[in-house]
Amino acid sequence: MNDEVLRAADALVAAFGEGRLDDYFAAFAPDATFVFHTTSERLSSTADYRALWDRWVAEDDFRVLSCTSTDRLVQLLGDTAVFTHLVETTVSTTAGAETTHERETIVFRRQAHGHWLAVHEHLSAAPGTTTATATATTTATITETER
């Protein structure tokens, strides 16, 4: 089952990093919750998160350029799995490009048909790093996540 959870996490991270928003948001249950160190409140649904994302795009021309997942761990708890990893993400806004170094926890729940769906995401700045660093140049390549 670890491999199934890792495949679900890989698909979620790849969709995020490649800017495939419909695939990315489809990886979450409608009632998923989100806690980000960059927002002041908990988001109580995937629709709330999508609305916030759309606002970032409208106000700041927000785009994800790349995302790399490392130091991955899956903990199985029956039909629930906790996935933790380190994330390096490069984004572009009207202010330019920046790279963040964060750690993330994604809680997955196995559905009746066996598919793993994300039900909670928590993102925080990685210890010992600044939240974001500006980059002079960026690449749009996606690094395959480690196995």
Side-chain angles (χ1 to χ4, degrees):
M1 273 196 268
N2 273 8
D3 289 343
E4 295 170 9
V5 175
L6 285 174
R7 279 193 296 277
D10 286 344
L12 186 154
V13 170
F16 174 81
E18 295 167 4
R20 294 183 286 111
L21 297 182
D22 290 340
D23 292 339
Y24 173 62
F25 286 107
F28 293 96
D31 61 346
T33 56
F34 304 86
V35 176
F36 303 133
H37 64 100
T38 56
T39 60
S40 59
E41 71 281 341
R42 179 185 59 239
L43 302 172
S44 298
S45 70
T46 300
D48 289 347
Y49 180 20
R50 183 69 188 251
L52 178 62
W53 187 292
D54 290 345
R55 193 173 84 218
W56 293 336
V57 171
E59 293 175 1
D60 296 321
D61 195 26
F62 177 82
R63 289 181 300 124
V64 176
L65 301 177
S66 66
C67 182
T68 304
S69 168
T70 59
D71 195 23
R72 298 149 33 102
L73 174 67
V74 173
Q75 297 169 278
L76 288 173
L77 307 163
D79 286 337
T80 303
V82 178
F83 172 74
T84 55
H85 63 150
L86 297 177
V87 184
E88 180 180 292
T89 304
T90 301
V91 301
S92 174
T93 66
T94 54
E98 66 181 13
T99 299
T100 58
H101 302 272
E102 297 160 310
R103 56 186 173 179
E104 181 175 50
T105 300
I106 304 172
V107 178
F108 288 90
R109 179 179 59 220
R110 187 171 35 193
Q111 305 302 293
H113 60 284
H115 175 75
W116 290 89
L117 200 58
V119 296
H120 179 74
E121 179 180 358
H122 185 162
L123 188 67
S124 62
T129 65
T130 57
T131 301
T133 55
T135 57
T137 60
T138 60
T139 62
T141 56
I142 306 302
T143 305
E144 184 177 334
T145 54
E146 296 179 344
R147 292 211 178 242

